[in-house]
Amino acid sequence: MSDAARMNSTIYVGGLENAVTEKLLANAFLPFGEIVDVTLPKPDLPSSREPHRRFGYIEFEVAGDAKEAIDNMDQSEFFGRVLKVAAAKPQKDSNDGLGSKTAVWETEGWIARHGGVDEEDRQAAQQTQHASSPADATANLDTDVAGPRLEQ
């Protein structure tokens, strides 16, 4: 099965109770069609005591079965919780910028497109800086008094 066909036949199921297992989830969605795979992602932290991250993915044999499962199971109750069932989105590539672990300005080409300061802006900044600052930074300070003057 191609990746595109696989994505069309995979659904996201969110809002799961911790007691839900892959087998229970598969049994709940079995009436809609043949299930190829059920995945409940584990927590990122190894110290976490949670069995899964409260969501899962179900891959159906036929894309039409996935659509039927979405239509029938979205906003339904399962183990006392309301489910969010939708078409699964493709996993983001770690080099995509936003949503990745790399800052957007560190991605290749971003500085070339957005970070370059042209010569005209650089000159304007220098002129503004020179015009607003006196030659001697202490020229306008009253150095005879160290603190507020007390009136007697």
Side-chain angles (χ1 to χ4, degrees), residues 75-144:
Q75 300 300 313
S76 66
E77 189 175 327
F78 187 62
F79 275 75
R81 296 184 59 124
V82 176
L83 297 180
K84 168 66 177 153
V85 182
K89 296 178 182 174
Q91 189 173 6
K92 290 183 179 180
D93 186 14
S94 63
N95 295 327
D96 281 347
L98 295 176
S100 72
K101 293 181 176 26
T102 305
V104 68
W105 52 87
E106 290 180 1
T107 57
E108 193 171 321
W110 188 90
I111 294 205
R113 289 191 312 264
H114 303 287
V117 178
D118 61 3
E119 190 59 35
E120 183 180 319
D121 290 340
R122 187 175 290 119
Q123 288 176 353
Q126 287 175 347
Q127 288 175 355
T128 304
Q129 188 177 25
H130 289 305
S132 64
S133 62
D136 182 11
T138 61
N140 295 332
L141 295 178
D142 185 7
T143 56
D144 294 338

Side-chain angles (χ1 to χ4, degrees), residues 6-142:
R6 212 171 162 196
M7 282 310 301
N8 287 338
S9 62
T10 303
I11 62 171
Y12 162 86
V13 182
L16 297 175
E17 174 62 39
N18 279 336
V20 174
T21 64
E22 290 178 356
K23 186 174 182 172
L24 288 170
L25 194 58
N27 288 338
F29 282 82
L30 193 58
F32 302 106
E34 187 69 30
I35 294 175
V36 175
D37 187 35
V38 176
T39 306
L40 294 174
K42 303 290 182 206
D44 289 336
L45 297 174
S47 62
S48 177
R49 298 188 190 279
E50 304 290 322
H52 52 75
R53 294 170 58 190
R54 295 188 181 255
F55 69 89
Y57 297 100
I58 302 173
E59 182 182 347
F60 287 91
E61 185 73 35
V62 179
D65 295 343
K67 172 101 172 80
E68 188 176 333
I70 292 169
D71 293 342
N72 287 290
M73 294 295 283
D74 187 36
Q75 300 300 313
S76 66
E77 189 175 327
F78 187 62
F79 275 75
R81 296 184 59 124
V82 176
L83 297 180
K84 168 66 177 153
V85 182
K89 296 178 182 174
Q91 189 173 6
K92 290 183 179 180
D93 186 14
S94 63
N95 295 327
D96 281 347
L98 295 176
S100 72
K101 293 181 176 26
T102 305
V104 68
W105 52 87
E106 290 180 1
T107 57
E108 193 171 321
W110 188 90
I111 294 205
R113 289 191 312 264
H114 303 287
V117 178
D118 61 3
E119 190 59 35
E120 183 180 319
D121 290 340
R122 187 175 290 119
Q123 288 176 353
Q126 287 175 347
Q127 288 175 355
T128 304
Q129 188 177 25
H130 289 305
S132 64
S133 62
D136 182 11
T138 61
N140 295 332
L141 295 178
D142 185 7

